[in-house]
Amino acid sequence: MQGGSRGDIIDPFGRRISYVRLSVTDRCNFRCVYCMPDDIEFMPRQSMLSFEEIGRLCVVLAQMGIEKIRLTGGEPTVRQGIVELVEQADRARAHGLRDLAMTTNGWNLRKMAGPLRDAGLDRVNVSLDTLDRCRFKELTRRDQLDEVLAGIEAVVAMGWLPLKLNVVVCQGLNDLEVVHYVEHFSHLPVTIRFIEYMPFGQSRFGLVPWDVTRRRLEERFELVPVAGPPGAGPATNFKVVGSAVEVGTIGAMSRQFCDSCNRVRITTDGRLKTCLAYEPEMLSLRDLLRSGCSDDELEIAIRLAIRRKPERHLSTEDGSNPFEGSMVSIGG
Ligand code: SAM
Ligand code: SF4
C-alpha cells in the first residue's frame, strides 16, 4: 500500500513527509560526551507519551502516509516495557506503515533483540563510535564495549538484517579508526555508516567532512558505489571489495540534504519537531491526545504544524551556528 488513506502530508516546499523519528525516552544508560549535556534534567514520567498514546499516534500517522517510524531517544531499550511499546507501534502496520525500526546503543541488544523482533520491529541500527576500549569508556562514560559487540553479533546470528552501524566521526577522537572498522567487521554483512558530527549548543568536537573519511578508506580499500532503493534516505553507500561490509556516509553538514528532507521528529513528551532548525513553538501532540481530541482533529493539527516546516537548517560546518538543544533530548 502506497500513500495514506487520509491523504499524504506535503510540506510547503513540496516535500512529502513519510518518516517519523519518535523518541520514546529521554533517559539513557550511556553518557556520550557529544550527545548528553552535563546539566541535563530528565522529564517526569507522566510527561512522556504513554504506550496507548504512542499506538494511537502511530496509527493516525500511518493513515496520513507515514511509511517509516524509527523509535529512538535517549536509549529506547531503557524505556520500561519497550517490547510492549513496539507492539503498540506495530498496530500502525495495518494502516500503511512499512518499516518500524529502532536506533540503539546496543548495550541491551544481546538479550532484547529476539523479543523486539518478535514484537514487530523490522530492524535496528546500532551506534558504535569506537572500537577501542579506553576510548569507548571515555566517550560513553561506561565500560560496555564488549556487551555492545556481543549485541551486534547476536543480531547477525539471528539473521536479523539489514543491520546498520552508526559511527559519528569526531575530529581527534575516532576519525583515524575508520579503516579499522572495516577490518574489524569485514566478516559480517553489515553497513557501517560514518556520520558527520552535528554541532549542538555544547559543541565540543570538530566535524570530519565525509570526503576526508572516504579518502582515508580509499587509501586502503576499493569502494564501489551501490545504488540505494528510492527514498532510502541521506546515506550514500559503497561496497568494500573483498569484504562483507558496505560503508555509507551521512554528510549532514557538508552535503546538506534539506531539499529532499522527508522526516519530522516527535519528542519524548510528544512535541512535533518539524526540523532540526530552531522552532519557537512546537505542537504538543500529547496535550491534544489528553484533551480527548478526535483522530480528525489530530490530523488537522499535524498538517497545520507541518505547514510551518522550515526550508532548511542554517547550521554550518564550522560549528559557529550550532543547533539548539541536544540530540538526546530532541530524539536523534
Ligand atoms: N541511544 C541511541 C543511540 O545512541 O543509538 C539512540 C539515540 S541517539 C541520540 C541517536 C543517534 O544520534 C546516535 O547514532 C548518535 O550517535 C547520534 N548523535 C547524537 N549526537 C549527535 C551529534 N551531535 N551529531 C551527529 N549525530 C549525533
Ligand atoms: Fe545515549 Fe545514544 Fe546519546 Fe549516547 S548517543 S548518550 S547512547 S542517547
Side-chain angles (χ1 to χ4, degrees):
M1 177 170 159
Q2 169 98 41
S5 56
R6 289 172 176 269
D8 290 343
I9 311 170
I10 311 289
D11 84 353
F13 304 97
R15 298 171 294 195
R16 175 168 170 247
I17 307 303
S18 58
Y19 176 22
V20 170
R21 294 178 73 99
L22 175 62
S23 173
V24 298
T25 180
D26 61 345
R27 270 66 166 180
C28 188
N29 43 8
F30 283 179
R31 292 283 179 276
C32 299
V33 289
Y34 63 78
C35 175
M36 175 88 75
D38 295 331
D39 57 355
I40 187 153
E41 281 184 26
F42 298 112
M43 67 179 66
R45 286 184 197 280
Q46 63 272 22
S47 299
M48 298 179 178
L49 290 179
S50 69
F51 294 179
E52 293 71 26
E53 288 165 344
I54 287 174
R56 180 174 166 206
L57 200 49
C58 289
V59 167
V60 172
L61 289 166
Q63 289 170 340
M64 295 173 71
I66 297 298
E67 293 172 347
K68 172 172 166 183
I69 294 178
R70 174 172 298 284
L71 306 179
T72 179
E75 171 51 34
T77 63
V78 304
R79 174 96 189 237
Q80 228 176 1
I82 181 67
V83 171
E84 202 186 312
L85 187 155
V86 169
E87 282 166 359
Q88 285 286 337
D90 188 52
R91 286 172 40 211
R93 206 176 293 277
H95 301 274
L97 184 73
R98 298 191 321 173
D99 189 10
L100 182 58
M102 178 184 282
T103 298
T104 170
N105 63 28
W107 183 351
N108 291 325
L109 259 190
R110 193 168 52 86
K111 50 185 187 303
M112 291 185 82
L116 287 171
R117 183 170 69 169
D118 293 347
L121 201 65
D122 290 305
R123 58 202 175 86
V124 284
N125 287 3
V126 182
S127 305
L128 175 60
D129 297 319
T130 178
L131 292 166
D132 177 279
R133 152 130 339 113
C134 291
R135 198 171 289 147
F136 187 95
K137 204 168 157 190
E138 224 172 84
L139 201 145
T140 65
R141 294 179 263 195
R142 298 288 184 269
D143 190 8
Q144 294 295 336
L145 175 60
D146 288 345
E147 203 49 31
V148 175
L149 291 173
I152 291 169
E153 294 276 355
V155 169
V156 175
M158 282 163 58
W160 198 18
L161 302 170
L163 173 61
K164 292 177 186 164
L165 307 182
N166 288 346
V167 186
V168 177
V169 183
C170 301
Q171 207 170 53
L173 185 75
N174 58 357
D175 51 339
L176 301 181
E177 278 192 63
V178 293
V179 166
H180 184 42
Y181 266 91
V182 176
E183 288 168 347
H184 184 93
F185 289 107
S186 64
H187 61 297
L188 296 183
V190 299
T191 301
I192 306 169
R193 301 194 306 173
F194 297 106
I195 300 173
E196 286 177 358
Y197 168 74
M198 299 169 74
F200 277 82
Q202 291 192 344
S203 183
R204 299 168 196 225
F205 298 101
L207 76 86
V208 181
W210 159 243
D211 286 347
V212 173
T213 299
R214 180 177 168 176
R215 266 201 305 279
R216 284 193 175 126
L217 291 167
E218 280 175 336
E219 278 168 17
R220 175 74 179 75
F221 308 106
E222 189 183 342
L223 304 186
V224 179
V226 181
T236 314
N237 286 2
F238 299 83
K239 184 92 202 102
V240 180
V241 175
S243 155
V245 307
E246 283 186 10
V247 292
T249 162
I250 302 189
M253 302 305 296
S254 67
R255 298 169 184 213
Q256 236 193 45
F257 37 79
C258 298
D259 286 347
S260 56
C261 183
N262 63 349
R263 66 192 58 189
V264 295
R265 292 175 162 78
I266 297 176
T267 61
T268 312
D269 56 353
R271 284 168 301 140
L272 182 68
K273 186 160 174 53
T274 65
C275 179
L276 281 179
Y278 175 60
E279 278 178 87
E281 278 174 40
M282 288 189 272
L283 170 69
S284 174
L285 297 167
R286 183 199 65 198
D287 290 353
L288 263 178
L289 287 160
R290 293 184 188 175
S291 72
C293 72
S294 66
D295 286 357
D296 288 346
E297 286 164 335
L298 197 54
E299 175 190 343
I300 291 166
I302 292 171
R303 286 191 195 282
L304 282 174
I306 290 179
R307 292 215 65 77
R308 297 195 296 269
K309 181 173 164 72
E311 188 173 10
R312 55 184 60 253
H313 71 73
L314 300 173
S315 219
T316 45
E317 277 183 67
D318 63 5
S320 59
N321 188 19
F323 295 99
E324 297 253 326
S326 60
M327 276 295 203
V328 71
S329 44
I330 291 168

